[in-house]
């Protein structure tokens, strides 16, 4: 439960990056301690920073350069902290730059790189807070989907077709065979909840399902995955595991 994300380099399977701190903000949460890296297929590990980012929702490695790594930091589950946002390293974790920041209460649960062009990045903002007696998730409008087309220098918040009101945890999936297609599963009230699909790289979205099983335990789960050969085959890894063809 102390691991939020694991990613293996596409150009060298000996290189592994691990983000600590689970992305499911349960009541018995284990706090993260930043990023770790192995260059020998997991035999040994080195701590490479981001010690105070709290929970890590996603790690993505540039498929053309394993020294370029992106991290989506949810933040400390129990208090406000500045170390939330999207972080990027270009030197294999020696140094990190915070390239996207919303507030000290809003972090990021997921990010995806565009297949064929890793300078195009999608990121899912999430404002969540755990207390000893409850969780606040999906009770504000600070969340949403952001996009950069220049490697994180500039960002645009995507809005066309997405929920306008309260919004919670979001998970993203980009098709490996058609980079125009982007899915987002979104925690939101009533008929706004569920699965959204874009066929124009996020310029606009269509709401394709409000099935409660997609988001019935949103702060625990909320995971969407695509078949790498067919973007019409979609898996929701929640409770239960469900599939659309």
């Amino acid at each position: 439960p102390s691991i939020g994300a694991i990613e293996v380099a596409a150009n060298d399977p000996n290189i592994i990056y691990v983000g600590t701190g689970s992305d499911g903000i349960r009541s018995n949460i284990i706090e993260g301690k930043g990023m770790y890296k192995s260059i020998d297929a997991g035999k040994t590990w080195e701590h490479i920073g981001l010690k105070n980012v709290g929970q890590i929702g996603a790690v993505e490695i540039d498929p053309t350069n394993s020294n370029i790594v992106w991290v989506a930091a949810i933040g400390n589950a129990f208090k406000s902290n500045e170390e939330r946002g999207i972080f990027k390293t270009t030197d294999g974790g020696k140094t990190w730059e915070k390239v996207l920041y919303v507030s000290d209460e809003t972090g990021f649960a997921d990010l995806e790189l565009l297949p064929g062009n890793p300078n195009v990045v999608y990121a899912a903002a999430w404002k969540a807070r755990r207390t000893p007696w409850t969780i606040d998730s999906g009770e504000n409008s600070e969340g949403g989907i952001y996009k950069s087309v220049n490697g994180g220098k500039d960002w645009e918040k995507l809005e066309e077709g997405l929920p306008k009101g309260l919004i919670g945890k979001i998970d993203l999936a980009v098709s490996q065979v058609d980079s125009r297609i982007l899915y987002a599963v979104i925690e939101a009230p009533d008929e706004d909840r569920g699965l959204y699909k874009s066929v124009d790289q996020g310029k606009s979205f269509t709401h394709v399902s409000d099935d409660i099983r997609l988001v019935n335990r949103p702060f625990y789960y909320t995971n969407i995955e695509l078949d790498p050969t067919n973007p019409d085959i979609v898996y929701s890894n929640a409770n239960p595991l469900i599939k659309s063809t």
Side-chain angles (χ1 to χ4, degrees):
S2 62
I3 300 301
I6 301 172
E7 196 72 12
V8 180
N11 60 352
D12 185 348
N14 291 303
I15 298 175
I16 310 167
Y17 291 88
V18 167
T20 61
S22 60
D23 73 338
I25 301 187
R26 300 169 58 95
S27 54
N28 56 339
I29 193 168
I30 297 177
E31 192 171 309
K33 292 183 179 178
M35 288 290 299
Y36 287 81
K37 179 182 179 181
S38 174
I39 58 172
D40 55 14
K43 293 187 180 116
T44 61
W45 295 89
E46 176 189 5
H47 187 266
I48 57 169
L50 302 184
K51 185 172 90 169
N52 297 316
V53 300
Q55 311 307 109
I56 290 176
V59 174
E60 291 291 339
I61 305 170
D62 187 316
T64 66
N65 184 346
S66 59
N67 285 317
I68 300 176
V69 183
W70 300 75
V71 171
I74 296 168
N76 189 304
F78 297 96
K79 65 181 181 181
S80 302
N81 67 314
E82 294 284 338
E83 293 87 356
R84 299 174 187 264
I86 299 296
F87 292 83
K88 180 183 181 182
T89 180
T90 57
D91 55 16
K94 294 187 180 82
T95 60
W96 294 89
E97 179 186 4
K98 184 162 58 175
V99 295
L100 179 57
Y101 176 73
V102 175
S103 76
D104 64 359
E105 294 189 344
T106 298
F108 285 81
D110 192 27
L111 66 89
E112 297 285 344
L113 307 181
L114 190 74
N117 185 355
N119 284 315
V120 178
V121 186
Y122 301 101
W126 182 30
K127 182 178 180 181
R129 172 73 66 90
R130 169 62 75 177
T131 66
W133 57 89
T134 190
I135 182 170
D136 296 328
S137 175
E139 299 177 8
N140 60 83
S141 57
E142 280 193 17
I145 303 172
Y146 290 78
K147 179 182 180 181
S148 173
V149 296
N150 57 8
K153 292 188 179 108
D154 303 290
W155 295 86
E156 171 194 8
K157 189 172 185 181
L158 306 180
E159 297 182 308
E160 182 67 35
L162 294 173
K164 305 293 185 194
L166 301 179
I167 196 165
K169 194 175 185 183
I170 301 171
D171 195 63
L172 306 169
V174 183
S175 171
Q176 296 296 310
V177 291
D178 186 345
S179 64
R180 297 172 300 173
I181 297 176
L182 168 68
Y183 286 88
V185 61
I186 299 177
E187 175 192 5
D190 303 323
E191 66 272 6
D192 284 341
R193 72 189 178 215
L195 188 66
Y196 291 75
K197 180 181 181 180
S198 172
V199 295
D200 54 15
Q201 293 191 356
K203 289 178 188 169
S204 62
F205 286 83
T206 301
H207 191 194
V208 293
S209 177
D210 63 358
D211 192 320
I212 187 62
R213 294 174 298 172
L214 294 163
V215 288
N216 63 351
R217 300 289 277 171
F219 47 91
Y220 280 23
Y221 307 119
T222 310
N223 292 293
I224 205 79
E225 297 288 349
L226 303 183
D227 185 304
T229 65
N230 184 346
D232 287 334
I233 299 176
V234 186
Y235 294 89
S236 167
N237 184 14
N239 182 20
L241 177 69
I242 54 176
K243 173 184 178 181
S244 171
T245 58

